[in-house]
Amino acid sequence: MRLRFLYLLILLATLCAQPLAAQKKEMKEADKYFNSFEYALALNAYKKLMENKEPDAYLLERIADSYRLMNNSKEAEFWYAQAASFENVAPASIYYYAEAAKRNGNYDKAKELYTTYARRVPEQANMAMRQAASCDTAIFWTN
């Protein structure tokens, strides 16, 4: 009886481990595309990964980065917003989110994000606050 239970337990553990190994392989492949500057292929691979697993900050950042590097600021802004909901989001993603929002004319959101970036990266605070001020200028000139 115990031997049968042990075999069943080993079989179950093996079956559970296979999808995780496949996801790691798919992530490695997507990262390979991204690092080879093949952003469209990387984007497809990352989105395919989202079908099989709960998205995390890294996956959402990579999708947003792919759109940003393909000069699609609308989609980049959307995906950076998703990534920003995670506490462990990289400060660079906050900056890129602000840049995308600014390009899309969302100056109030961009200003808020530049200010957040300045708080999270004090050594870049001066630059971030200049960018936030440029949003005020853009608001003034567009109204």
Side-chain angles (χ1 to χ4, degrees):
M1 182 74 169
R2 286 185 178 190
L3 192 58
R4 195 176 280 174
F5 178 73
L6 182 62
Y7 285 137
L8 183 62
L9 189 60
I10 291 171
L11 178 65
L12 186 61
T14 303
L15 291 175
C16 289
Q18 285 177 341
L20 292 175
Q23 284 181 357
K24 280 186 177 183
K25 181 181 176 192
E26 289 172 357
M27 182 63 85
K28 229 179 204 180
E29 182 179 339
D31 285 341
K32 185 182 107 191
Y33 288 137
F34 186 88
N35 293 327
S36 298
F37 310 106
E38 299 179 74
Y39 303 118
L41 294 174
L43 188 57
N44 290 335
Y46 289 130
K47 284 190 170 183
K48 185 178 175 189
L49 274 166
M50 281 189 56
E51 295 171 5
N52 302 326
K53 76 173 221 164
E54 190 70 28
D56 56 10
Y58 178 80
L59 182 59
L60 294 170
E61 287 171 327
R62 282 300 182 131
I63 291 171
D65 288 340
S66 296
Y67 278 120
R68 175 179 57 86
L69 293 165
M70 292 189 306
N71 292 319
N72 186 338
S73 62
K74 293 261 187 229
E75 287 294 324
E77 182 181 3
F78 173 80
W79 290 100
Y80 281 125
Q82 304 302 310
S85 67
F86 288 86
E87 285 189 27
N88 65 332
V89 68
S93 291
I94 300 294
Y95 177 79
Y96 291 136
Y97 180 16
E99 288 286 297
K102 187 174 164 184
R103 281 187 182 176
N104 295 332
N106 298 331
Y107 301 116
D108 290 325
K109 184 66 178 177
K111 182 179 177 181
E112 173 190 328
L113 291 163
Y114 283 127
T115 305
T116 301
Y117 179 73
R119 280 193 307 273
R120 291 198 51 195
V121 186
E123 56 274 5
Q124 293 290 320
N126 193 24
M127 177 276 304
M129 295 315 290
R130 281 196 313 269
Q131 291 293 340
S134 76
C135 292
D136 288 333
T137 303
I139 290 168
F140 175 78
W141 286 106
T142 57
N143 288 333

